[in-house]
Amino acid sequence: MENRDEQAEQRTRWSEDRTVLANERTFSSWMGTGLGAIGVAIGLKAVFGAFEPTWVAKAVASLFLVAAILIFWSARRQALKTLKRLSENDAEAQPVRNFTILAVVLTISALATGAVLWSL
C-alpha cells in the first residue's frame, strides 16, 4: 500500500510541475498576443497613412498599443498569482524577476512604437 501512496504522491508532484511549465507557456502566449496588438498598430498606420485626418489613424493605432501594454501587465499579474499557489518539485520555474523584466521591456517597446507612429 505504501508503494501506491508514493506513486500517487510522485504523480501529484509531476502534475504540479506540469502546471508550473504550463503557466510559463501561457505567459509566453499572452506576450505574443501583446506583440500582435503592436503589429496591428503598425499595420493600421501603414494602411491608413494617407488617411485624413491623420490623428484618427494614429489614435486607433494607439488604442492597440494601450491594449498591448494592458495585456503584458495582466499576463504578468496572472503568472505571478499562479506561481504563488504552486510549488516546484523537479521543474524549475522562471524567476518572478524574468516576468517583470519582460513586461517592462515590452511596455517600453510599445511606448517607443507609439512615439514613432505619432512622429510620422
Side-chain angles (χ1 to χ4, degrees):
M1 186 67 155
E2 187 175 314
N3 192 24
R4 280 188 176 183
D5 290 343
E6 288 174 12
Q7 288 175 342
E9 181 64 31
Q10 181 64 36
R11 284 193 302 272
T12 300
R13 287 194 303 271
W14 286 341
S15 174
E16 197 164 31
D17 282 347
R18 285 192 303 272
T19 304
V20 166
L21 298 173
N23 182 49
E24 292 175 4
R25 288 190 304 273
T26 301
F27 176 79
S28 177
S29 293
W30 280 108
M31 294 296 106
T33 301
L35 289 170
I38 292 174
V40 169
I42 293 169
L44 282 172
K45 178 61 178 120
V47 170
F48 296 112
F51 187 81
E52 288 296 329
T54 58
W55 67 267
V56 173
K58 291 177 182 181
V60 173
S62 295
L63 289 175
F64 280 95
L65 295 175
V66 169
I69 292 170
L70 292 173
I71 289 168
F72 297 148
W73 288 97
S74 175
R76 178 196 169 272
R77 187 184 76 243
Q78 191 62 38
L80 297 185
K81 207 162 82 172
T82 300
L83 275 180
K84 280 183 184 179
R85 293 192 328 256
L86 300 171
S87 58
E88 304 163 9
N89 296 291
D90 294 328
E92 187 175 326
Q94 289 290 319
V96 169
R97 178 186 62 210
N98 289 1
F99 292 113
T100 303
I101 289 170
L102 189 57
V104 167
V105 168
L106 291 177
T107 297
I108 292 169
S109 300
L111 293 172
T113 301
V116 168
L117 287 176
W118 279 92
S119 70
L120 298 177

